[in-house]
Amino acid sequence: MSNENFFCEGADKAPQRSLFNALGMTKDEMRRPLVGIVSSYNEIVPGHMNIDKIVEAVKLGVAMAGGTPAVFPAIAVCDGIAMGHDGMRYSLVTRDLIADSTECMALAHHFDALVMIPNCDKNVPGLLMAAARVNVPTVFVSGGPMLAGRVKGSKTSLSSMFEAVGAYTAGRIDEEEFEEYENKACPTCGSCSGMYTANSMNCLTEVLGMGLRGNGTIPAVYSERIRLAKRAGMQVMELWRKNIRPLDIMTHDAFMNALTVDMALGCSTNSMLHLPAIAHECGVEIDLDIANKLSAVTPNLCHLAPAGHAYMEDLNEAGGVYAVMNELTKRDLIKTDCMTVTGRTVGENIAGIKNKDTNIIRPIDDPYSETGGIAVLRGNLAKDGCVVKRSAVVPEMLVHTGPAKVFDCEEDAQAAILGGKIVKGDVVVIRYEGPKGGPGMREMLNPTSAIQGMGLGSDVALITDGRFSGASRGASIGHVCPEAAVGGIIGIVKDGDMISIDIPNYKLELLVDDAEIQRRMKEFKPKKKELKGYLRRYAAQVTSSAQGAILQGN
């Protein structure tokens, strides 16, 4: 590989050099490899408000190691701010906008290498998808997780705030306590402090081999995060010199490692959308059913919020993602010969990493459960599958049968829950919220949190063709496929129909006889929505959640 920038030599490149002169570049800068710094900085997302400092540290690292850094932007949506209204339709769809726009910028300007700086939910997978497409040496360094809040001596997070809404509505907490949650649940910048989607994906970036150690767990406000960013800038130059590229790293085995660690950590169910989409860009196909096969042999070692009372800062102190991976090697569950951005293999990276707190990372011989944190269910109600975060379901709801309460949108379900119309034993069904039907597959954190906050978490289940925030807990079953908008059976469920949930046996069934189901299906005409702009294009192109909600033709 040449030690020089693509544009630095030849009369035919003089026009480009004249434009680099306009940028204020010196000849020395033009001769060095051009490194794109993809900055997700903005002033509306708490997880991104500190990324300007990460960018400056990365730029310094690149320059110290002999490269010329140049920054360009990527968008990012805050799912918490978008939650519970039409804005959430624009969350998942940004994953593909981020991938597309980053691909365009990176290839149009012929960067020699890239450093991706994401943090929040769709931002991380979108940039991983772009990294696979562009396939130049690339390192990821995120903005880092938020510290946990504290209310009345206990750690809290955004999920605590959402659940406080239900508790306040039900009269279980007073106005003073409610306001305390509002003021203290999210105390710093960073991605929300539990094992929600953003932190799940940042942790899995380490496992895939695309981020340095600590990328998923070092808190945003720690100076250690700045040092990590400098190392990332220096390391991308090492990758460039060795010509190690994303497709050398994100192999089939790397994705199997990611799914395995997903089970051990108890990651967000959204990983079951994003990992298949990222893998698809790498030429690796992931069948949803592989999740159950890996879950059957992978113990759940961590109960971070919302599944438990530990937070990302606790996982970091316990040894982080590498300590979890090292525990898993004790049963040969990690493929250790995969290459990583360190220039070393997974096995070399995790050798000797200690589990410093067995209350946070359970030893592999004393797990929370012998099965992993996520399960894929099938049955007549979800022929193509659906997903539940099993590690966040209370034992008494792992098997449940109850009458359906059916709603055609999230808002109607939320009103019914807060209005006291959902009672113990019910199965709340929310449909027309899938990738096409939403469109955009909104997260149902408001209704799941309301159920918890009103004290119904051990008695009420919720199923949807939409999806859930990583902050959701309880018997929350999402990604039901086929979705209502494309004629899925979820579209013919009626109030009072009995629904059977059997998570240990991976079953979700509508307990209506086949003849009645066939009669209803013959009469069923899915509802259509009038759409415009990007959502209309997205709805026309998006595939099912079982395929990772990728766009047709990608």
Side-chain angles (χ1 to χ4, degrees):
M1 178 176 284
S2 168
N3 288 324
E4 296 180 328
N5 184 321
F6 174 77
F7 298 109
C8 74
E9 297 291 342
D12 60 327
K13 301 297 190 304
Q16 286 90 341
R17 292 195 296 275
S18 72
L19 292 169
F20 287 152
N21 283 329
L23 289 171
M25 278 194 193
T26 66
K27 289 188 182 296
D28 281 344
E29 286 176 296
M30 289 186 212
R31 290 191 183 101
R32 296 172 182 169
L34 186 61
V35 180
I37 314 298
V38 187
S39 169
S40 304
Y41 170 77
N42 63 49
E43 293 184 341
I44 190 61
V45 183
H48 292 241
M49 63 182 283
N50 66 317
I51 280 179
D52 56 341
K53 295 176 177 59
I54 305 298
V55 167
E56 290 306 312
V58 169
K59 287 173 65 179
L60 183 57
V62 168
M64 286 192 298
T68 296
V71 180
F72 65 89
I75 62 171
V77 163
C78 176
D79 280 20
I81 295 173
M83 197 71 66
H85 57 90
D86 275 350
M88 179 47 73
R89 302 191 196 285
Y90 288 90
S91 172
L92 179 60
V93 305
T94 64
R95 185 186 72 184
D96 296 275
L97 283 173
I98 291 162
D100 292 349
S101 60
T102 303
E103 172 194 355
C104 291
M105 286 293 290
L107 293 178
H109 299 99
H110 210 289
F111 286 103
D112 296 295
L114 296 167
V115 179
M116 305 288 198
I117 311 178
N119 210 28
C120 288
D121 298 33
K122 315 309 167 301
N123 193 237
V124 183
L127 289 180
L128 283 165
M129 291 162 69
R133 293 181 195 174
V134 178
N135 199 35
V136 297
T138 301
V139 174
F140 275 67
V141 56
S142 77
M146 184 182 291
L147 293 178
R150 281 170 172 77
V151 174
K152 297 189 183 304
S154 297
K155 288 184 178 181
T156 61
S157 60
L158 182 64
S159 57
S160 308
M161 181 68 250
F162 273 93
E163 290 178 16
V165 174
Y168 178 66
T169 303
R172 299 174 68 216
I173 61 174
D174 62 21
E175 186 172 352
E176 181 180 356
E177 187 172 356
F178 185 57
E179 187 173 345
E180 187 174 8
Y181 274 103
E182 185 176 336
N183 291 329
K184 295 182 177 179
C186 299
T188 71
C189 63
S191 47
C192 296
S193 56
M195 187 55 78
Y196 310 149
T197 305
N199 291 327
S200 294
M201 295 310 303
N202 280 319
C203 286
L204 295 181
T205 300
E206 280 191 60
V207 184
L208 282 170
M210 292 299 293
L212 300 176
R213 183 186 178 192
N215 183 57
T217 60
I218 297 169
V221 296
Y222 283 13
S223 296
E224 187 181 358
R225 174 68 53 179
I226 301 296
R227 296 196 297 272
L228 179 73
K230 291 176 183 175
R231 290 197 299 272
M234 291 185 280
Q235 187 59 30
V236 79
M237 294 306 300
E238 187 66 18
L239 292 180
W240 178 81
R241 293 184 185 97
K242 293 180 177 178
N243 196 24
I244 298 173
R245 300 173 182 244
L247 294 184
D248 300 322
I249 293 170
M250 291 192 286
T251 62
H252 180 272
D253 281 353
F255 282 101
M256 292 304 101
N257 281 346
L259 285 164
T260 297
V261 176
D262 188 328
M263 297 300 165
L265 283 173
C267 289
S268 164
T269 51
N270 282 314
S271 63
M272 293 296 103
L273 281 176
H274 300 322
L275 287 175
I278 300 161
H280 178 76
E281 298 290 350
C282 298
V284 175
E285 297 305 318
I286 294 177
D287 187 310
L288 268 187
D289 288 328
I290 192 67
N292 289 342
K293 293 176 184 175
L294 291 173
S295 177
V297 297
T298 306
N300 178 223
L301 304 181
C302 299
H303 266 194
L304 280 75
H309 300 290
Y311 294 83
M312 296 306 297
E313 62 201 66
D314 301 313
L315 178 60
N316 187 62
E317 294 301 315
V321 175
Y322 278 18
V324 175
M325 294 175 75
N326 204 33
E327 282 290 339
L328 294 170
T329 62
K330 296 173 183 177
R331 290 191 189 174
D332 295 324
L333 294 172
I334 294 293
K335 300 176 187 301
T336 56
D337 58 351
C338 298
M339 180 52 62
T340 73
V341 293
T342 67
R344 301 187 297 272
T345 65
V346 166
E348 290 171 323
N349 287 343
I350 66 176
I353 301 296
K354 294 180 180 178
N355 179 355
K356 298 178 182 178
D357 190 339
T358 56
N359 292 315
I360 304 300
I361 304 171
R362 288 280 188 91
I364 199 161
D365 293 328
D366 182 29
Y368 282 102
S369 70
E370 285 292 343
T371 52
I374 288 177
V376 174
L377 315 184
R378 291 187 186 270
N380 64 358
L381 196 47
K383 179 173 63 71
D384 295 337
C386 59
V387 181
V388 62
K389 189 170 182 175
R390 172 167 48 188
S391 60
V393 180
V394 294
E396 55 267 36
M397 288 299 291
L398 289 170
V399 177
H400 177 78
T401 299
K405 294 284 182 68
V406 183
F407 305 92
D408 287 348
C409 67
E410 176 194 359
E411 289 84 353
D412 290 350
Q414 179 75 352
I417 296 164
L418 294 178
K421 296 179 181 178
I422 304 302
V423 299
K424 291 183 178 182
D426 283 346
V427 177
V428 177
V429 177
I430 306 177
R431 61 196 180 194
Y432 294 104
E433 293 286 6
K436 284 185 177 292
M441 206 177 180
R442 289 194 292 179
E443 291 183 343
M444 302 289 123
L445 180 57
N446 270 0
T448 58
S449 297
I451 287 169
Q452 295 293 332
M454 297 187 76
L456 295 171
S458 297
D459 303 286
V460 170
L462 190 153
I463 69 171
T464 180
D465 52 10
R467 60 196 177 93
F468 295 108
S469 163
S472 291
R473 62 188 177 107
S476 303
I477 299 166
H479 307 199
V480 170
C481 295
E483 61 176 293
V486 300
I489 284 180
I490 191 173
I492 63 162
V493 179
K494 294 182 178 181
D495 282 344
D497 285 347
M498 299 301 288
I499 292 175
S500 171
I501 300 164
D502 187 347
I503 295 172
N505 289 304
Y506 310 112
K507 292 288 186 182
L508 179 66
E509 296 282 345
L510 175 64
L511 301 181
V512 172
D513 68 67
D514 290 344
E516 174 62 12
I517 289 175
Q518 291 174 15
R519 186 191 68 77
R520 292 185 194 180
M521 289 298 289
K522 286 180 182 179
E523 297 175 354
F524 178 39
K525 292 183 179 179
K527 295 182 177 181
K528 302 292 182 184
K529 294 178 180 175
E530 290 295 323
L531 302 170
K532 61 182 180 180
Y534 184 64
L535 286 184
R536 180 168 62 186
R537 298 199 302 275
Y538 183 84
Q541 296 178 20
V542 71
T543 61
S544 80
S545 54
Q547 297 173 274
I550 60 174
L551 300 185
Q552 290 174 344
N554 279 359

